[in-house]
Amino acid sequence: MSTTSSGRPGRSPRAARTATPARAARAAVGVLATVTLAAGCAAGSPAAAGGGTGEPQDGGDIVFLIDSLGDTWIPNNSSISSFQGHIWGHVTDKLVYVDAEGEVSPWVAESWEQNDDATQFTLHLKDGVTFSDGTPVDAEAVVENLDTWAFGAPDAGINPVGLFPKTYDHAEAVDETTVEVHFDAPTLGFVPTLGYHGSILISPETLALPAEEQADLSNDIGSGPFVVESWKEGDSVVLTKREDYDWGPEAVGHTGPAYLDTITYKLVAESSTRTGAVQSGQADVAYNATPQELGSFKDQGFTVDVPRYLGFVNGYRLNTQVAPFDDPAVRQAFQHGIDRDEILSTVYTEDWSAAETLIQSNVPEATDHSEAFAYDPELAASALDDAGWEEGADGVRTKDGEPLALTLYPNPYLATSKAIDELVAQQLGELGFAVDIQAYDVVTFGERVSGNASLSNYEVTRSFIDVGTVASILTDAENGEDWFGLGQSDPRTNELRDAVAQATDLDERAEVVDELQEHLLEEAYFAPVTQIVQRIYVSNPNLHDITYNGVAYASYYTAWLES
């Protein structure tokens, strides 16, 4: 067996403190009344935003205002990659911790090894970790979770986790704290993927429940630093800290119980209402503020965080099987017809950057291919002319009697998506495209847009922990998501996909990922726009030591309120 590093050393853990008993969580109805009043409040002056004592203080209750809480709490089926991941990140643990730079370190798994061809891994678990119902997070429980992430329970209406390696074969408990995991092909990305937001450890008793009972959040038992105190569908979730929690990831500098007593997640649809409540001191965190507001909040002394996650940039994946993107010239014109500098200067602030390729530049394997899709309206127009798309009297191009028309579907998980689509529609309109925009809320978007193979395009805001998972979604191999409608039709994509998936050496894999980026962009299968900041946080300046992981979720496990 060759040994895989168990991660970089963490900072010295703070001494565990004896926590005071958790105070009763704020009543959801009280929070609702407070937030409603805040909508009309003028911006107040926050308390001093300076550093405080520097020493964490026990106690305190915070209110986090969010614009959606998803449509189901079934762990595998929930909106875990967007809204509900905030709650799951406090109620559950993961086997490994992945930080904002993609570094992997121990958590519930304290060490691991892999064989030479990355088809077998051995996980060594911390002793003494328990779910909140007191049952152990032992090897048998981990095997149950791995199987659920890999396979789900389709007959029971429970999905597998989308980016869990499809090469997974089985896992077995060697003893109470040792798990052996087997794959039917090399899977270099397995350990990092254990830190992905979908890889949450849930009690086997919960996993055994039928879907309708898993949909009751109070039945979903995790091993995290907080437990569900109460919840109300479509309204709020109140979390209370676990006094016996003592196994946090050392990489965040703390392993004992949380400092905060409670976290209340409250659904408030309007961005201005959320931020107004933080300004007036009636809430502590507003999620998904608009970028244009951020400068003002910074000037007033509030904490503004715009963490980038590891994953794909914001952009459009183009369906090669659906008009007009079945025409390579149209894909090329679309790609070169987008003025990304105008988008950055109009929609965003200096905290955002242009895309350099189809994956985020903080992904270790990302390489700059920006020339492949640079804004070039003359090149775009020439490509359309050469392909026979003729401009009509109304300015819209046609070919064989069909207009050059498409619909864009703003992504409701990204606050700026509609504004971006409106700019893109204007830019493409100058080239002869007729662009419609159809906006939906989160639930309707999931029903009508997500995974709909009949649509010509689909906006991507997708995270991943390890680039090895990228290959599994590009075509339909191994039940992949077939992003571009290619199936198995592009031999070069298939070759590079397989080389990424089967790599056993990280450096060799990086070279292939570079070639894959180049090929996909040259074929204009993907039109990058900007590097993605999907999660925007405006916080009370007295709330200190918030941490952000590799998928940009705010963790309040280490956070504390300065009194």
Side-chain angles (χ1 to χ4, degrees):
M1 302 281 282
S2 64
T3 301
T4 297
S5 170
S6 60
R8 62 176 171 80
R11 291 168 287 172
S12 298
R14 301 185 186 114
R17 295 167 178 262
T18 303
T20 57
R23 296 197 294 266
R26 304 181 199 187
V29 65
V31 174
L32 174 60
T34 299
V35 169
T36 301
L37 287 171
C41 292
S45 297
T53 65
E55 287 296 321
Q57 301 174 17
D58 280 317
D61 310 284
I62 66 169
V63 175
F64 183 113
L65 304 183
I66 194 167
D67 42 332
S68 176
L69 285 172
D71 59 348
T72 181
W73 284 106
I74 299 170
N76 274 33
N77 298 15
S78 63
S79 301
I80 198 166
S81 65
S82 47
F83 301 109
Q84 291 164 307
H86 295 279
I87 286 85
W88 291 124
H90 291 87
V91 173
T92 67
D93 292 323
K94 297 182 177 67
L95 287 163
V96 303
Y97 181 77
V98 179
D99 70 13
E101 302 304 317
E103 293 193 56
V104 181
S105 59
W107 192 346
V108 173
E110 60 185 3
S111 63
W112 48 86
E113 302 94 45
Q114 70 176 61
N115 64 358
D116 290 337
D117 65 358
T119 58
Q120 181 179 315
F121 296 77
T122 302
L123 307 176
H124 302 284
L125 310 179
K126 287 181 183 176
D127 195 19
V129 180
T130 63
F131 293 104
S132 60
D133 62 2
T135 57
V137 182
D138 57 14
E140 292 287 353
V142 169
V143 170
E144 290 270 0
N145 277 270
L146 289 166
D147 285 348
T148 301
W149 302 337
F151 307 125
D155 292 343
I158 295 171
N159 301 326
V161 172
L163 288 185
F164 192 76
K166 294 176 174 60
T167 51
Y168 176 84
D169 185 82
H170 74 283
E172 54 191 89
V174 177
D175 56 40
E176 289 188 357
T177 59
T178 308
V179 179
E180 202 168 84
V181 189
H182 299 264
F183 295 87
D184 58 22
T187 310
L188 274 178
F190 168 61
V191 170
T193 301
L194 297 176
Y196 187 61
H197 46 55
S199 304
I200 57 174
L201 292 168
I202 298 288
S203 165
E205 290 191 20
T206 296
L207 297 178
L209 295 174
E212 60 269 19
E213 292 186 39
Q214 290 190 34
D216 181 346
L217 182 58
S218 61
N219 290 332
D220 298 333
I221 305 301
S223 62
F226 288 83
V227 297
V228 176
E229 175 74 18
S230 63
W231 74 287
K232 183 177 180 182
E233 181 107 37
D235 181 81
S236 59
V237 177
V238 181
L239 307 181
T240 303
K241 78 173 178 182
R242 283 185 68 177
E243 301 287 352
D244 63 342
Y245 188 83
D246 194 28
W247 47 83
E250 291 190 5
V252 301
H254 178 58
T255 58
Y259 300 111
L260 297 172
D261 288 336
T262 71
I263 308 171
T264 296
Y265 289 89
K266 176 67 185 171
L267 179 63
V268 177
E270 291 296 324
S271 175
S272 60
T273 306
R274 295 193 299 274
T275 55
V278 173
Q279 285 177 307
S280 63
Q282 298 178 75
D284 299 283
V285 185
Y287 184 60
N288 270 357
T290 61
Q292 291 79 4
E293 298 176 276
L294 300 187
S296 173
F297 286 116
K298 290 178 183 178
D299 291 343
Q300 295 173 60
F302 292 96
T303 302
V304 172
D305 290 312
V306 286
R308 283 187 304 164
Y309 59 43
L310 303 161
F312 289 95
V313 301
N314 178 224
Y316 304 93
R317 66 191 222 204
L318 307 181
N319 191 338
T320 62
Q321 299 303 305
V322 176
F325 295 126
D326 54 347
D327 184 340
V330 174
R331 298 199 303 270
Q332 185 182 36
F334 184 93
Q335 207 179 48
H336 290 285
I338 298 174
D339 186 346
R340 294 157 185 85
D341 288 340
E342 183 182 25
I343 291 170
L344 285 168
S345 63
T346 304
V347 178
Y348 289 123
T349 69
E350 61 185 11
D351 298 300
W352 276 258
S353 302
E356 298 176 355
T357 180
L358 54 88
I359 54 181
Q360 301 270 75
S361 62
N362 57 332
V363 174
E365 295 84 359
T367 44
D368 191 340
H369 293 279
S370 51
E371 285 302 312
F373 55 91
Y375 178 54
D376 190 338
E378 292 183 1
L379 187 155
S382 176
L384 293 172
D385 290 339
D386 292 347
W389 291 94
E390 299 178 351
E391 189 170 338
D394 60 356
V396 176
R397 291 177 183 263
T398 61
K399 181 178 180 180
D400 300 329
E402 294 295 324
L404 184 54
L406 60 95
T407 301
L408 300 177
Y409 303 90
N411 190 328
Y413 296 107
L414 185 64
T416 54
S417 182
K418 189 169 186 292
I420 291 172
D421 283 353
E422 289 169 349
L423 271 178
V424 169
Q426 293 174 19
Q427 293 166 1
L428 295 178
E430 295 174 3
L431 291 170
F433 285 80
V435 183
D436 184 32
I437 295 175
Q438 182 65 62
Y440 298 114
D441 61 22
V442 169
V443 174
T444 309
F445 184 86
E447 294 170 348
R448 299 187 184 180
V449 180
S450 297
N452 187 342
S454 69
L455 301 181
S456 69
N457 69 92
Y458 181 79
E459 185 182 354
V460 171
T461 51
R462 179 70 170 274
S463 62
F464 57 77
I465 288 293
D466 183 82
V467 76
T469 59
V470 172
S472 69
I473 67 176
L474 299 179
T475 68
D476 61 1
E478 299 289 339
N479 297 314
E481 297 177 22
D482 199 13
W483 269 21
F484 314 118
L486 294 172
Q488 298 294 303
S489 65
D490 182 344
R492 181 60 173 158
T493 295
N494 296 343
E495 175 190 358
L496 294 170
R497 171 204 66 202
D498 293 343
V500 171
Q502 296 167 12
T504 60
D505 178 84
L506 289 173
D507 291 335
E508 291 178 5
R509 187 180 71 171
E511 292 179 10
V512 179
V513 172
D514 175 51
E515 294 180 49
L516 180 62
Q517 294 168 74
E518 180 180 34
H519 175 69
L520 296 177
L521 293 169
E522 285 184 347
E523 293 296 326
Y525 296 146
F526 192 93
V529 180
T530 65
Q531 300 213 34
I532 183 67
V533 175
Q534 183 174 338
R535 315 190 210 286
I536 304 172
Y537 305 84
V538 176
S539 306
N540 174 354
N542 290 326
L543 182 59
H544 301 283
D545 289 355
I546 304 165
T547 59
Y548 295 92
N549 65 8
V551 285
Y553 279 120
S555 171
Y556 300 100
Y557 165 56
T558 57
W560 55 280
L561 271 173
E562 181 181 356
S563 58

